């Protein structure tokens, strides 16, 4: 198999639907205008008392009466992303009643009023919050504060492999958690690629500049892998899982289905 190149070649994927930028102070609203201009699918939401300021900062801004927590609740099930220009602690308390699941909650970002730090706090991978934080950091000159283990160490994010190429993922929740833990804990992981483009590392959804992690060993066929030597299996293939392999890899196999030819 050809060596996987390490340079970054693709932009990070951010949420495709509406991104609500919620600001609750005058200074925050000024910064929110910059955020809206940086994200074409973003809209400012502010308290009704700051309607004039919000319209100046971002024409077409929406205002709300009542509590910010109620406004966030109304947005939570409707938008793909939320950028809160409030304190981290405040945003945690405001959104906590509306949390459901990592595969359905919107991406949530917190940004300080000075625009110094941008912190993805919810749905970092599947929801695209980490990618959104990177986009805002570039636009505002801010520092992204990433806390997900795979991004801090620039290793493989198991749930994002092939995402930029349109690949689909097949795995139980337990297997996905197990494989992700094996990767970030530097356990030996077999990565078998039988189909699809070879540039999945360079087109990683959050971008990577380091080489492929040393604990990932590449194979061309699943039959070549000894299950006793690896903690998990990442299998890129169009084939059905061979019956001779299914039992050996049960609970620790993640399958990726490419949509394009190698």
């Amino acid at each position: 198999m050809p060596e996987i190149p390490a340079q970054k070649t693709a932009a990070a994927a951010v949420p495709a639907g509406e991104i609500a930028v919620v600001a609750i102070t005058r200074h925050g609203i000024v910064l929110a205008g910059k955020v809206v201009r940086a994200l074409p699918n973003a809209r400012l939401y502010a308290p009704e008392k700051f309607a004039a300021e919000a319209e100046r900062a971002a024409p077409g801004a929406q205002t709300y009466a009542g509590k910010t927590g109620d406004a966030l609740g109304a947005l939570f099930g409707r938008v793909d992303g939320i950028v809160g220009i409030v304190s981290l602690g405040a945003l945690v308390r405001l959104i906590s009643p509306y949390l459901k699941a990592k595969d359905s909650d919107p991406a949530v970002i917190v940004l300080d009023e000075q625009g110094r730090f941008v912190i993805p706090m919810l749905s970092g991978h599947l929801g695209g919050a980490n990618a959104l934080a990177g986009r805002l950091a570039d636009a505002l000159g801010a520092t992204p504060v990433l806390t997900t283990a795979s991004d801090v160490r620039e290793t493989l994010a198991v749930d994002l492999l092939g995402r930029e190429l349109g690949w689909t993922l097949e795995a139980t929740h337990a297997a996905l958690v197990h494989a992700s833990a094996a990767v970030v804990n530097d356990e030996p992981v077999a990565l078998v690629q039988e189909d699809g483009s070879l540039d999945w590392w360079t087109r990683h959804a959050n971008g990577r500049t380091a080489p492929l992690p040393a604990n990932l060993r590449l194979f061309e066929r699943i039959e070549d892998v000894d299950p006793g030597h690896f903690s998990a299996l990442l299998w890129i293939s169009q084939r059905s899982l061979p019956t001779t392999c299914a039992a050996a890899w049960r609970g620790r196999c993640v399958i990726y289905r490419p949509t394009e030819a190698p």
Side-chain angles (χ1 to χ4, degrees), residues 14-19 34-43 132 135:
V14 300
E18 181 182 345
I19 297 173
K34 298 178 182 179
V35 173
V36 169
R37 289 190 289 276
L39 302 172
N41 52 337
R43 175 174 288 183
L132 180 58
R135 180 74 60 85

Side-chain angles (χ1 to χ4, degrees), residues 162-173:
R163 180 177 180 178
E164 295 304 285
L165 295 164
W167 297 359
T168 58
L169 181 152
E170 297 176 8
T172 64
H173 176 72

Side-chain angles (χ1 to χ4, degrees), residues 62-75:
Q62 299 290 304
T63 59
Y64 58 86
K67 297 179 179 179
T68 298
D70 294 338
L72 284 167
L75 291 168

Side-chain angles (χ1 to χ4, degrees), residues 194-261:
E194 298 177 349
D195 289 293
S197 297
L198 298 175
D199 62 348
W200 50 264
W201 179 249
T202 64
R203 297 185 66 179
H204 189 284
N206 287 340
R208 292 291 183 255
T209 55
L212 196 67
N215 64 314
L216 297 182
R217 183 176 171 186
L218 301 177
F219 293 87
E220 294 184 352
R221 297 174 67 254
I222 191 173
E223 289 84 359
D224 297 335
V225 185
D226 184 346
H229 291 169
F230 296 92
S231 296
L233 169 68
L234 308 179
W235 188 41
I236 307 168
S237 180
Q238 298 288 9
R239 287 198 288 156
S240 297
L241 188 63
T243 55
T244 54
C245 302
W249 291 110
R250 184 172 293 114
R252 54 197 187 109
C253 174
V254 179
I255 302 173
Y256 304 89
R257 301 300 191 191
T259 56
E260 83 295 345

Side-chain angles (χ1 to χ4, degrees), residues 46-231:
E48 199 171 52
K49 65 180 179 180
F50 295 132
E53 291 91 337
E55 183 63 23
R56 283 197 298 271
Q62 299 290 304
T63 59
Y64 58 86
K67 297 179 179 179
T68 298
D70 294 338
L72 284 167
L75 291 168
F76 220 75
R78 185 171 65 79
V79 301
D80 283 0
I82 295 173
V83 178
I85 306 179
V86 296
S87 72
L88 177 61
L91 194 55
V92 168
R93 291 183 177 86
L94 289 169
I95 68 170
S96 60
Y98 312 110
L99 302 182
K100 292 182 179 179
K102 65 184 297 182
D103 58 353
S104 61
D105 291 335
V108 178
I109 304 289
V110 66
L111 186 64
D112 68 282
E113 276 195 357
Q114 297 298 314
R116 295 176 180 173
F117 301 99
V118 53
I119 309 170
M121 56 177 289
L122 189 67
S123 297
H125 281 169
L126 293 180
N130 286 3
L132 180 58
R135 180 74 60 85
L136 285 179
D138 289 341
L140 302 175
T143 300
V145 182
L146 304 183
T147 58
T148 45
S150 60
D151 290 297
V152 170
R153 298 183 58 248
E154 286 209 346
T155 189
L156 177 69
V158 171
D159 53 356
L160 295 184
L161 175 55
R163 180 177 180 178
E164 295 304 285
L165 295 164
W167 297 359
T168 58
L169 181 152
E170 297 176 8
T172 64
H173 176 72
L176 193 60
V177 171
H178 176 87
S180 297
V183 169
V184 299
N185 286 319
D186 296 325
E187 297 173 14
V189 174
L191 197 157
V192 181
Q193 182 162 13
E194 298 177 349
D195 289 293
S197 297
L198 298 175
D199 62 348
W200 50 264
W201 179 249
T202 64
R203 297 185 66 179
H204 189 284
N206 287 340
R208 292 291 183 255
T209 55
L212 196 67
N215 64 314
L216 297 182
R217 183 176 171 186
L218 301 177
F219 293 87
E220 294 184 352
R221 297 174 67 254
I222 191 173
E223 289 84 359
D224 297 335
V225 185
D226 184 346
H229 291 169
F230 296 92
S231 296

